[in-house]
Amino acid sequence: MRRLYLQLYLTVVASLVVFAIAAGWLWRVLVEVAPPPHAYALASEIAQGSLPPADAPREAQQAALEKLSARGQVNVALFAPDGSEIAHVGPELPRPRGGGHRSRYPWHRGRVWTLELPDGRWLAARPPRREHRSFSPLGFVLTFGLLAVAVAVGAYPVVRRTTRRLERLKTSVEALGAGDLGARVKIEGRDEVAALATSFNRSAERIEGLVGAHKSLLANASHELRSPLARIRMAVEMLGAEAKPELRAELERDIAELDALVDEILLASRLDSIAALDAREDVDLLALAAEECAREDAVLEGEPALVKGDPRLLRRMIRNLLENARRYGGGTPIDVAVKRADGGVRLRVCDRGPGVPEAERERIFEPFYRLAGARERAGGVGLGLALVRQIARKHGGDVKCLPRDGGGSCFQVVLPA
C-alpha cells in the first residue's frame, strides 16, 4: 500500500529539485549575461590600442600582454588570425575557432572568453575565479517569484487529487448521516485515503444491514403480533356467559404466545443495542443445562464446565434450544451434552426430527425465518434460534446447525472456557 505521507514527501522533494535546477539555470543566464554588441566593438578597439601592431616582434607583443594581464589579474593569450598562438600569460588557453570561421562577437567555452580584434588577431582571457557580479534586487525577487509560481503549478494536480478524494468521502459521510444508507465512496489508489474509503464502505454496508434487519424485525413482529391479537379478539367476542373450556384454553395459549413474542423482541433489541455484557461471572454450564433439561425431560450427559457470562442469558439460550428441539423433534427424546473441548466448552442439543436441509442451516438463525410448513407443524414465531446466536456471540462464541447420524439435527454452541 502506498503511503500518503511518502507521496507528499516525494512531491516536495521533486519540487525542490526542479526549483534548484531552474534557479541555477536562471542564475547563470541572468548573471553571466553577455554585454550588448556595441560593447564588444569598443572592447576590441581598446584591446588593440593596448597591444603593439600585428607585425611587431613576438617579444614586444608578449611584453604588452604581460602588462595587460597584470592590470586585470587575468590569464590571457594572443592568437594570430590563423589561430596560431603569438603570446600568452599563465596556463595555455584553448585556441579560437578555426576553419576560417569568424564571429563579430566574443564566444566563451567554460570560463574562457575570446575577443576578435579589428586587425584579425584573437585575444582570449580567463577571468579570476572570484569576481563581483551585480544583480538587481528586483530581478532577484522576480526570478524567485516566477520559480515559486512554477512549483505551485506543478504540485497543484497531486495535492488536488488527494483533497478531491477527501471531499468525495466527506460528501458520502454527510449523505449517510442524512439517511442515505446506500451512500458509498469510489476507491481510488492504494494509500491511507483509499483504506479510509474501504473502511467507510464496510461500515456503511454494516449499518445498512443492521438497519434493514431492524426494519425487517419490526415488520415481521407487527405481522406476528397481528395473528394472536386477532384470534384473541375473536375469542373474546365469542365468549358468552358460559365459555367453553377448550375456547378458554385456546385463548390462554394465544396470550402466552403473544407474551413470549414480545419478550423475545425486547431481548433481541437489547442485545443489538449493547456492545458488551453488563454482568460476567463464572457459570457452570452443566448445572444450567441440568435445570433446563429437567423441565423438558431431556437426557443430559457431560462434565462440569465453567464459562464467563450472564447466567440469565445463558439459561435463555439453553431453554430456546430445548424448546426448538421439542417443537420440531416430533416428540422424540432430546439429547443434551456439555463437554470441554479445544480450550472451550461445547454444548450440543440433538433431536430426531426431520432435520434441516443443508442450504437452510444458516438461514434458520435469521429473525423470523422458518422452514416451509414449520409454522403449521409446530408453531413458534421464528426468534428463538436468532436469540441463541445473539447470546452465543455476545459471550465470544457461536452456534451452528449440524446433521445428526441416523436422522435429525444437532445444534452445537461453542463458548470460551
Side-chain angles (χ1 to χ4, degrees), residues 132-143:
H132 176 71
R133 296 174 178 175
S134 61
F135 192 73
S136 170
L138 180 61
F140 180 87
V141 173
L142 180 62
T143 300

Side-chain angles (χ1 to χ4, degrees), residues 341-342 344-347 392 395-400 412-416:
D342 300 327
V345 177
R346 185 178 64 193
L347 167 70
H395 286 81
D398 207 347
V399 61
K400 56 184 177 180
Q412 176 175 286
V413 179
V414 178
L415 300 176

